[in-house]
Amino acid sequence: MKIKEFFISHYGPLENREKIKLADFNLIWSKNEGGKTLTIEAIIKLLFKKGVKEFENLNRVEEVPEGYMILESIDGKEHKLSNRGEFNELKEFTPTDFKNIFIVRNSDISIEQSKNSGISYYENITERLTGLRTNEINKISQKVGEMARLTHKGLFRDVGEEKLKTRIDEAKKLIEKIEEIIKDSQEKGLEQLEVKIVTLKEKLKEIDNQINLLEEVRKREKYETGSKALNTLKTLIKEIKELDIYNEAEAKEWETLEQRLKNYNSEKEQKEKDLQAKETELDETTHKQTALTEEFKLYEEKKRKIDGVIRPKIEEYKSLKEDNIKQEKQSKTYTILSIVSVTFFAFFLLASIFQRSAVFYTLTGVSAIASFSFIFLRYITLKSKSHTMRSIEEFITSLKELELLASSVNDIYSKIQDFERLYRQKSEELTRFNVHKENLEKEINKIKLEDIPEKEQNIKETKLKIQEIKDKSKETSLESYNEKLKLKMEIQKDIEKQESVLKSHFGNVEGGLEKAIQYWEDEISKFEIFKDAYKDLKYSEEELSKLQSETKKCQIELEKIKNELNTLQKRFEEVERQANYILNSQEPIICNTLVDLQAIKELLFKFVDTHENNRKNALEVIDIFTEIANEEKTKISQLFGKDSRISKYFREITNNMYEEAIFDVDENKIKVKRKDGVILSIEQLSGGTYDQLYFSIRLALGEALMASQSGFFILDDPFVKSDSERLIKQIAILKNIVKSGWQVIYFSSKDEVKDLLKEDIAKKEVNFIELPPLIELDSLKQ
């Protein structure tokens, strides 16, 4: 199979390239960045529609190349490949074969090992060449080991989360621990407690079922209650809208106005009564004032008499009294003197009669004059006293008239003072009556001219305000207004009651009643699925409380038993934890009872036995397959060895410096043997020798794969590490394989390669093609 011609019309920056016709040996040369690598990539993508992922770094250009390629089979038939077809004649060769043998990209001539399970490309190709089934044998052995979860040394795996070896060891220890726990439990007689725990749990489960049933009934009743409350609420809202005009403030105002009107009327009536009373009182006061005025005139008259008559007479009386006393004394003296003088007169008169003596006559005359004088003086005194007594009697008479008669002047003065005090009282009383009358007249005028008109105005204004409320509400009385308001308040209470029911059952949201109703509708609809649940039953808090009480009672008893089993339960929990870790079951393992413990013990026995039997059986199978694989694997050396094509090409290229290429089956590595017998690994080779070795391998494997057919090699500067001498040798080998029927398509940008083939190009033995530069390269980079 050879490539006769290819044409790339478009691939990234490659645009409208000329058709390239190929011969047996082709040197496609270009300067650096001349499109050499892109051309190789385009050829690969034309060859393979599937499998291009095997070639790394084949994504410089994302698109599929436009163009074609013409292949010529050994029988001379031509096959045209394009971006719309695929060449099935190459199906016996994989993209990996082309990558590792027939196509050298980016000057990398090495052969990549397979990515699958450590099996080398050499093993794979050996099987294809010799018919061996080492790959399948290894896969089977590996699969058996994986199934038994064994390492390559035959031990249980103990890596990652699996930790099989650790789990099996732990399982054996746990079995011993379980046997010890079972023994302790039997000695403590805990089986009955476990039975009781199971019984209590079943009872709790039954109670829980009953509670759940009650809960469904409660939800049904909640739905019924919510629906009823919501429907009632909507109806009440419609009803209350018709009563929006009625409000408590207005009713209160109306009531206040009515009360105010009543008060104003009452106050007006009271003012009228006060007016009547005060007018009556004024009449009485006027009458009393008149009587008191008349009475006071008498007092004034008496006062004038006292001041004008009595008081001067009192002074006169005092003087008369003193004169009277003097006159009394004089009268007594003159009386005594008169008596004495008359006595002497009589004596001297008698004596003169009988004695007729001048002395007696003289004495009689003197005594007669004296008697007459004293009698006269007494008369004068008595007369003056009589005048005084008359004056006193007149004074006393005037006192009697004025009712001031007393036993003494001091008493008279006292009575005058009493009179004056009474006079002042009467004067003050008259003044009070005058003031009171004046005040009454003022009050009467105020009531008539101010108070009553003010109340009448208040009454008028209040009636107007009441009428405004009546006109607004269309109600004729406060009673009817209050009835409507009462109805509104009752509806509002019912609304609040329904809201309270809805809030208590379904909660509330902010944003007003409208949003709340929408929220309640949504919430109630969630319970609609329960509307037909157990309609023959009624939810009972008492029954629920009873069940909860029974639950609590069972839980207390269960807790009491669990406390008794606490120490053992901790050991059960540890067993449960370890068993779950060891068995790694999809269903969690529960260990609460001795029955569970016994079951876990059986599972652990089974786990250990199963894996140990699996390991035993797996090791026997692996031993058999390993023996077979080792026998088959030694046949890989047929590709290598001293007499192999690889060694032959390698000796020729290296001028017999290396005499043999060896494949180390145990290490799965390629080694080389120098002519001095030293064996080297490929890591110890120089870059040039490394390339020579892999070039030899590619040539040999290519010839082996193609068998009697011939093929092509696409080489991208494969010998960049070789010196001039080695390069000549390698080119010579290429010429030889071309002579044997192979096609070589050599891409290079090295001048020395072109110079080395200059004569062959001139002789037309090498088809020289120079690629034009990439004009659009800069734009591609951008």
Side-chain angles (χ1 to χ4, degrees), residues 21 116 136 294 390 416 460 485 512 568 593 632 697:
K21 295 185 178 294
N116 299 325
E136 293 182 17
E294 293 298 324
R390 280 197 304 272
I416 289 172
K460 182 179 179 181
L485 182 60
L568 184 62
T593 65
E632 295 293 313
I697 293 171

Side-chain angles (χ1 to χ4, degrees), residues 109-127:
I109 203 166
S110 63
I111 295 176
E112 186 182 84
Q113 296 294 312
S114 173
K115 297 177 183 177
N116 299 325
S117 64
I119 299 174
S120 71
Y121 179 70
Y122 303 107
E123 290 178 85
N124 182 280
I125 203 168
T126 300
E127 290 179 0

Side-chain angles (χ1 to χ4, degrees), residues 37-68:
T37 303
L38 285 173
T39 302
I40 295 171
E41 288 180 5
I43 290 171
I44 293 171
K45 288 185 177 181
L46 287 172
L47 280 171
F48 303 103
K49 300 298 180 295
K50 301 175 183 177
V52 292
K53 291 181 181 179
E54 286 288 332
F55 296 87
E56 290 84 1
N57 302 319
L58 204 65
N59 57 357
R60 293 178 66 194
V61 179
E62 295 290 341
E63 60 194 24
V64 176
E66 295 180 10
Y68 64 85

Side-chain angles (χ1 to χ4, degrees), residues 631-643:
E631 290 176 1
E632 295 293 313
K633 199 172 183 181
T634 55
K635 295 179 182 180
I636 296 175
S637 60
Q638 293 175 6
L639 293 175
F640 293 84
K642 192 170 184 178
D643 297 328

Side-chain angles (χ1 to χ4, degrees), residues 122 636-644 646-648 650-651 658-674 677-682 685 693-694 697:
Y122 303 107
I636 296 175
S637 60
Q638 293 175 6
L639 293 175
F640 293 84
K642 192 170 184 178
D643 297 328
S644 67
I646 295 173
S647 296
K648 176 185 175 184
F650 193 45
R651 281 196 299 272
Y658 294 91
E659 62 179 23
E660 185 178 356
I662 305 166
F663 184 81
D664 190 324
V665 175
D666 294 330
E667 295 185 21
N668 201 24
K669 286 185 176 182
I670 299 172
K671 297 180 179 180
V672 296
K673 184 177 181 183
R674 281 193 326 215
V678 175
I679 296 176
L680 301 173
S681 65
I682 58 175
L685 300 177
L693 173 62
Y694 275 107
I697 293 171

